[in-house]
Amino acid sequence: TMEKFIKQGDNVLVVWSVPPTGDKMQTMVNLIKTKSSTGVVQLENAQRLKMGGYESSNYDIAICGLFSAEEIYSNEIFAEIARVLKPQGKVYVKNNNADRTLPSTTSTLKLSGFINIMEVSKSYLSVSNAGLTESSTGDAASQILVGEKPHFEVGSSSKLSFAKKKPAQEESAKTVWNLSAMDMNDDDVELINDDDLLEEEDLVVPDATSLKGGCGTGETKPKKACKNCTCGLAEELETGKTPQPKAATSACGSCYLGDAFRCASCPYLGMPAFKPGEKISLSNRQLTADS
Amino acid sequence: MNDHVRHRVVVLYGSQTGTAEEVTSRLLMQSRGSVFKCVASAMDDYPIQDLVNEDLVLFVCSTTGQGEPPDNMKLFWKFIMRKNLPNTCLSGIRFGVLGLGDSSYAKYNFVAKKLFRRIQNLGGKSLLTIGLADDQHEWGCDVAIDDWSRNMWQILNSIHPTKDGFLNPIESSLPPPRFRVTMDDTNMEGEDIVKSMVEIGCYTTGHNVSPSKKQPYYASVISNKRVTAADHFQETRLISLNVSPVVDHMKYDPGDVIMIQPSNLSQDVNALLDILPFKPDSLLTFHSLDDEIDASTNIPNKGTTLREIVTKYLDFMSVPRNRRSFFQLLSHISCDEMEKEKLTELGSPEGTDERYSYANRPRRTILEVLQDFHLTAALIPLERIFDIFPIIRPRAFSIASSPTRHQGEIHVLVAVVKYKTRLQAPRKGLCSSWLASLNTGDLVPIWLKRGGIRFPSKQHCILIGPGTGIAPFRSAAHERTSNGDSGCTVFFGCRNFSSDFYFRDEWKDLNVDLHVACSRDQEEKIYVQDHIKEEGEKLFRLIWEDDASVFVAGNSKNMPDDVKSTFLQIFQTYGKMTSQEAEDYYVTMQSKKRYQQETWS
């Protein structure tokens, strides 16, 4: 039986969900203690284990599913077991899950972060210990699965320790995240349908008026006069007259500067700043006043 | 600065063309010297197990393609959407999301929206409402980016107020520089520069990995030929690159993409060096002052010259990206009264309209702006080089060659971008202009990327690729003919049979059923969708009975939608479907990878 995997000094956690009859629990504890007299043996109910409070990374071995044919374990319970196991610690599960509509125990173990999940050799199922496993006709066929907790400790230490102690439920939620993260390339993990995430307001498309810059009146922008305006545009603007389009050869004081300093009616708009002594000729396009 | 009292803020980005990455850089710049120590990383480069233990996390992500997450957050996306993640696992984090998108697409900012909801339902607490930046806004994405950034810093300030000795990220004061730069006056000889260039981070044979963005392969040009008629307005070129020395590490399939890291043209480099006050060929060393984690750029920090940096890294031929970092920074540097006043105006919120009119609408380049403000340009300190100039982004091209038929070569079909605005000098595409200028023997930094489309060898393929969209299909047609794979039906569209019918003389030797729509060769316009409609019955049979797949590639916003409508029509006509059934069938085809698209702008 499973006690074959226990070494001297191992801390062992035995998880059960349905209480066994008679003194089977005591017998199991004694059996384990013959293997590891110095280690701790702890029996715990699965639901109570889930409520948390157990220290992390404490046990070398965890054993589940020993006592009854109906024990089926969940993702959360296995995640909690993973948390309390030491790195490289092992969980042994007697797989009583014959219900094909439920996710297989193997996949539940995998989702909870265990690696190297294997079936343990059936020769370990010794007939003489049949009494402990409440064997009945179906028993010889039930497997024992083993899973290993990855050998590096999960979770980073970057967080400041000022944080208050989080409730155990959150700790185990983080554990599931961390263990899942170890298998980034696993393409078999099921994904949610991300289209379901969107709510009504997410599907709203911005309307045309919200896309306008400035006051959005759509009017043509007022022409600006340059700083050293000598062509008269500045006066026109000041007196509120609509600026008249100028003939091409206006002598605005800022024409030789770049576009940043030219007035809106400058015929040299679009050309770089003049170099000293440069002769500028205007193309036909530029000679036609802007309308 | 004692980093222990600074609060860690993790900024995770998902960026396809580099925009989200740049927005992230700006956030980091804003945080310099503040009580917040920002660390940035592409989502897929971040160790995901650490996320549960973070406190403050910001996500900056674009939406690409047809509503998909960018390549450098695909792994993160798949992880965060796992069903088995418990709904309290992220209850320790406070987060914000800034999305970059384009509302002319149906799935506008879907990635950011979905990410926001998912982090919430995993327990994360949102710091502020989601930021949705929209390219369709008259002033582009900047509006929403600036609004969201301001709100975000305000909220972070309320959580951790600024203290003595620290700067406030919101203030418009100049953030401290990232580097201290020293210059060594001994001129480097031309050959030494090439040698050091080659030593610093480029791929060499003997590695066990493939070339990548961090270690590109420098492929030499075999040939660079114009493929459109000399009198045609559009210059398109077919460039062949030599990859035979590394062919085992650069395996590709039809549909895959080549990434090219372009440089600036030397005449533009010289124009910028003319107005900067430095000796271009002196050796520079950059000493990092702030340990911003920005592992994405592989700019050499020593053994390089200003000329090399300006040529290979600084994107000064682009339009200034954001008023706050560009015009404001220059206004602080300026000492000339007139220039300083104008720069301050252009960098202010009130000056947005004028800035847009001055820079964005006419597509004025940073070089041209600096030429206008040449007195200020002459004062730019070396340590500000990377704050003022963005970094040149690599460009993606669908590979046009076939691995079997064109062994040891990779071909790209490049339409040279050139257009006019109200500025006298025409606007040029950086990468296409640089590629067009290359001669045999010139070197091109490249690496490969898996394309979005994959061709099944045993099914008939319907390939729709007008213009340069034909590139991946030319690759597929050659490869499939060589391998004896199933045939394909090709729909190509161009303007004239004699001007821009790409690969015109190759098709007859390939196992394809070709349909060419030359839109301007006759009075009425004919496009690919017209030919698709004509072949409707045959196409329906191929799809319905022979399990054929449909592929659409090209450079047009409307074309993919027009093609899709045509197919929906075909389903209704020949498949006797209702409009809803046709739409459903299209969706099913997409989910089975039987309707694939690779479109670019």
Side-chain angles (χ1 to χ4, degrees), chain A residues 43-63:
Chain A
L43 287 166
E44 187 53 278
N45 170 272
Q47 295 308 314
R48 235 174 280 136
L49 181 73
K50 209 169 63 151
M51 291 184 340
Y54 276 83
E55 232 184 282
S56 297
S57 307
N58 206 16
Y59 293 96
D60 301 279
I61 307 269
I63 306 179

mmCIF file of all heavy atoms in Angstrom, chain A residues 43-63:
data_model
loop_
_atom_site.group_PDB
_atom_site.id
_atom_site.type_symbol
_atom_site.label_atom_id
_atom_site.label_comp_id
_atom_site.label_asym_id
_atom_site.label_seq_id
_atom_site.Cartn_x
_atom_site.Cartn_y
_atom_site.Cartn_z
ATOM 1 N N LEU A 43 -3.907 13.755 10.480
ATOM 2 C CA LEU A 43 -5.135 13.387 9.774
ATOM 3 C C LEU A 43 -5.986 14.640 9.654
ATOM 4 O O LEU A 43 -6.111 15.404 10.601
ATOM 5 C CB LEU A 43 -5.935 12.365 10.587
ATOM 6 C CG LEU A 43 -5.388 10.942 10.634
ATOM 7 C CD1 LEU A 43 -6.090 10.170 11.739
ATOM 8 C CD2 LEU A 43 -5.607 10.243 9.307
ATOM 9 N N GLU A 44 -6.572 14.867 8.500
ATOM 10 C CA GLU A 44 -7.450 16.046 8.414
ATOM 11 C C GLU A 44 -8.563 15.791 7.405
ATOM 12 O O GLU A 44 -8.364 15.147 6.369
ATOM 13 C CB GLU A 44 -6.653 17.283 8.012
ATOM 14 C CG GLU A 44 -7.464 18.581 8.058
ATOM 15 C CD GLU A 44 -8.164 18.835 9.375
ATOM 16 O OE1 GLU A 44 -9.267 18.276 9.587
ATOM 17 O OE2 GLU A 44 -7.621 19.596 10.209
ATOM 18 N N ASN A 45 -9.696 16.365 7.722
ATOM 19 C CA ASN A 45 -10.836 16.297 6.811
ATOM 20 C C ASN A 45 -10.653 17.303 5.667
ATOM 21 O O ASN A 45 -10.192 18.420 5.887
ATOM 22 C CB ASN A 45 -12.099 16.625 7.609
ATOM 23 C CG ASN A 45 -13.303 16.819 6.717
ATOM 24 O OD1 ASN A 45 -13.553 17.940 6.252
ATOM 25 N ND2 ASN A 45 -14.017 15.754 6.455
ATOM 26 N N ALA A 46 -11.020 16.894 4.461
ATOM 27 C CA ALA A 46 -10.766 17.733 3.282
ATOM 28 C C ALA A 46 -11.399 19.108 3.385
ATOM 29 O O ALA A 46 -10.796 20.130 3.056
ATOM 30 C CB ALA A 46 -11.242 17.031 2.019
ATOM 31 N N GLN A 47 -12.625 19.161 3.851
ATOM 32 C CA GLN A 47 -13.308 20.458 3.941
ATOM 33 C C GLN A 47 -12.641 21.373 4.935
ATOM 34 O O GLN A 47 -12.523 22.579 4.723
ATOM 35 C CB GLN A 47 -14.789 20.267 4.313
ATOM 36 C CG GLN A 47 -15.587 19.544 3.243
ATOM 37 C CD GLN A 47 -15.430 20.183 1.872
ATOM 38 O OE1 GLN A 47 -15.516 21.400 1.728
ATOM 39 N NE2 GLN A 47 -15.169 19.366 0.872
ATOM 40 N N ARG A 48 -12.205 20.782 6.058
ATOM 41 C CA ARG A 48 -11.535 21.600 7.058
ATOM 42 C C ARG A 48 -10.170 22.056 6.566
ATOM 43 O O ARG A 48 -9.718 23.148 6.877
ATOM 44 C CB ARG A 48 -11.387 20.818 8.367
ATOM 45 C CG ARG A 48 -11.989 21.598 9.539
ATOM 46 C CD ARG A 48 -12.000 20.840 10.825
ATOM 47 N NE ARG A 48 -13.104 19.887 10.901
ATOM 48 C CZ ARG A 48 -12.963 18.631 11.354
ATOM 49 N NH1 ARG A 48 -11.818 18.195 11.755
ATOM 50 N NH2 ARG A 48 -14.013 17.826 11.403
ATOM 51 N N LEU A 49 -9.537 21.209 5.783
ATOM 52 C CA LEU A 49 -8.227 21.577 5.225
ATOM 53 C C LEU A 49 -8.374 22.793 4.322
ATOM 54 O O LEU A 49 -7.578 23.722 4.330
ATOM 55 C CB LEU A 49 -7.655 20.401 4.425
ATOM 56 C CG LEU A 49 -6.273 20.631 3.809
ATOM 57 C CD1 LEU A 49 -5.210 20.602 4.894
ATOM 58 C CD2 LEU A 49 -5.971 19.572 2.770
ATOM 59 N N LYS A 50 -9.479 22.788 3.576
ATOM 60 C CA LYS A 50 -9.736 23.885 2.630
ATOM 61 C C LYS A 50 -9.887 25.222 3.343
ATOM 62 O O LYS A 50 -9.613 26.272 2.790
ATOM 63 C CB LYS A 50 -11.018 23.571 1.846
ATOM 64 C CG LYS A 50 -11.049 24.174 0.441
ATOM 65 C CD LYS A 50 -12.175 23.647 -0.385
ATOM 66 C CE LYS A 50 -13.538 23.969 0.164
ATOM 67 N NZ LYS A 50 -14.566 24.069 -0.890
ATOM 68 N N MET A 51 -10.336 25.187 4.596
ATOM 69 C CA MET A 51 -10.551 26.450 5.306
ATOM 70 C C MET A 51 -9.239 27.106 5.687
ATOM 71 O O MET A 51 -9.212 28.243 6.129
ATOM 72 C CB MET A 51 -11.404 26.204 6.555
ATOM 73 C CG MET A 51 -12.800 25.835 6.128
ATOM 74 S SD MET A 51 -14.018 25.611 7.426
ATOM 75 C CE MET A 51 -13.142 25.319 8.883
ATOM 76 N N GLY A 52 -8.164 26.369 5.493
ATOM 77 C CA GLY A 52 -6.873 27.011 5.641
ATOM 78 C C GLY A 52 -6.347 27.022 7.058
ATOM 79 O O GLY A 52 -6.903 26.409 7.958
ATOM 80 N N GLY A 53 -5.282 27.716 7.241
ATOM 81 C CA GLY A 53 -4.688 27.788 8.566
ATOM 82 C C GLY A 53 -3.479 26.911 8.682
ATOM 83 O O GLY A 53 -2.675 27.053 9.592
ATOM 84 N N TYR A 54 -3.297 25.949 7.771
ATOM 85 C CA TYR A 54 -2.108 25.120 7.825
ATOM 86 C C TYR A 54 -0.915 25.894 7.272
ATOM 87 O O TYR A 54 -1.043 26.673 6.337
ATOM 88 C CB TYR A 54 -2.313 23.837 7.002
ATOM 89 C CG TYR A 54 -3.016 22.752 7.783
ATOM 90 C CD1 TYR A 54 -4.406 22.743 7.880
ATOM 91 C CD2 TYR A 54 -2.293 21.758 8.433
ATOM 92 C CE1 TYR A 54 -5.045 21.769 8.613
ATOM 93 C CE2 TYR A 54 -2.932 20.766 9.166
ATOM 94 C CZ TYR A 54 -4.311 20.768 9.248
ATOM 95 O OH TYR A 54 -4.962 19.794 9.970
ATOM 96 N N GLU A 55 0.243 25.595 7.873
ATOM 97 C CA GLU A 55 1.465 26.253 7.428
ATOM 98 C C GLU A 55 1.876 25.755 6.058
ATOM 99 O O GLU A 55 1.690 24.576 5.742
ATOM 100 C CB GLU A 55 2.573 25.862 8.395
ATOM 101 C CG GLU A 55 3.344 27.022 8.970
ATOM 102 C CD GLU A 55 4.471 26.479 9.824
ATOM 103 O OE1 GLU A 55 4.166 26.063 10.957
ATOM 104 O OE2 GLU A 55 5.601 26.411 9.336
ATOM 105 N N SER A 56 2.491 26.633 5.261
ATOM 106 C CA SER A 56 2.949 26.219 3.934
ATOM 107 C C SER A 56 4.164 25.314 4.041
ATOM 108 O O SER A 56 4.911 25.383 4.999
ATOM 109 C CB SER A 56 3.358 27.445 3.114
ATOM 110 O OG SER A 56 2.265 28.270 2.907
ATOM 111 N N SER A 57 4.342 24.501 3.009
ATOM 112 C CA SER A 57 5.594 23.741 2.813
ATOM 113 C C SER A 57 6.026 22.975 4.041
ATOM 114 O O SER A 57 7.170 23.068 4.479
ATOM 115 C CB SER A 57 6.722 24.696 2.402
ATOM 116 O OG SER A 57 6.312 25.451 1.306
ATOM 117 N N ASN A 58 5.106 22.201 4.587
ATOM 118 C CA ASN A 58 5.412 21.513 5.836
ATOM 119 C C ASN A 58 5.492 19.995 5.715
ATOM 120 O O ASN A 58 6.166 19.336 6.495
ATOM 121 C CB ASN A 58 4.319 21.898 6.849
ATOM 122 C CG ASN A 58 4.814 21.795 8.251
ATOM 123 O OD1 ASN A 58 6.017 21.732 8.510
ATOM 124 N ND2 ASN A 58 3.882 21.738 9.180
ATOM 125 N N TYR A 59 4.762 19.458 4.723
ATOM 126 C CA TYR A 59 4.634 17.997 4.647
ATOM 127 C C TYR A 59 5.422 17.424 3.489
ATOM 128 O O TYR A 59 5.520 18.015 2.416
ATOM 129 C CB TYR A 59 3.158 17.603 4.512
ATOM 130 C CG TYR A 59 2.374 17.928 5.764
ATOM 131 C CD1 TYR A 59 1.660 19.112 5.851
ATOM 132 C CD2 TYR A 59 2.392 17.060 6.860
ATOM 133 C CE1 TYR A 59 0.971 19.424 7.007
ATOM 134 C CE2 TYR A 59 1.709 17.368 8.017
ATOM 135 C CZ TYR A 59 1.000 18.545 8.093
ATOM 136 O OH TYR A 59 0.315 18.864 9.243
ATOM 137 N N ASP A 60 5.969 16.219 3.704
ATOM 138 C CA ASP A 60 6.677 15.528 2.628
ATOM 139 C C ASP A 60 5.715 14.718 1.779
ATOM 140 O O ASP A 60 5.921 14.534 0.580
ATOM 141 C CB ASP A 60 7.738 14.595 3.218
ATOM 142 C CG ASP A 60 8.739 15.355 4.062
ATOM 143 O OD1 ASP A 60 9.666 15.950 3.463
ATOM 144 O OD2 ASP A 60 8.581 15.397 5.304
ATOM 145 N N ILE A 61 4.730 14.169 2.432
ATOM 146 C CA ILE A 61 3.784 13.281 1.741
ATOM 147 C C ILE A 61 2.362 13.662 2.122
ATOM 148 O O ILE A 61 2.088 13.992 3.283
ATOM 149 C CB ILE A 61 3.985 11.804 2.195
ATOM 150 C CG1 ILE A 61 5.438 11.382 2.048
ATOM 151 C CG2 ILE A 61 3.036 10.867 1.470
ATOM 152 C CD1 ILE A 61 5.798 10.766 0.729
ATOM 153 N N ALA A 62 1.478 13.605 1.162
ATOM 154 C CA ALA A 62 0.047 13.724 1.462
ATOM 155 C C ALA A 62 -0.630 12.508 0.838
ATOM 156 O O ALA A 62 -0.256 12.075 -0.256
ATOM 157 C CB ALA A 62 -0.522 15.011 0.880
ATOM 158 N N ILE A 63 -1.589 11.984 1.533
ATOM 159 C CA ILE A 63 -2.287 10.784 1.045
ATOM 160 C C ILE A 63 -3.782 11.068 1.038
ATOM 161 O O ILE A 63 -4.331 11.574 2.010
ATOM 162 C CB ILE A 63 -2.020 9.571 1.956
ATOM 163 C CG1 ILE A 63 -0.507 9.374 2.120
ATOM 164 C CG2 ILE A 63 -2.662 8.334 1.381
ATOM 165 C CD1 ILE A 63 -0.160 8.220 3.022
#
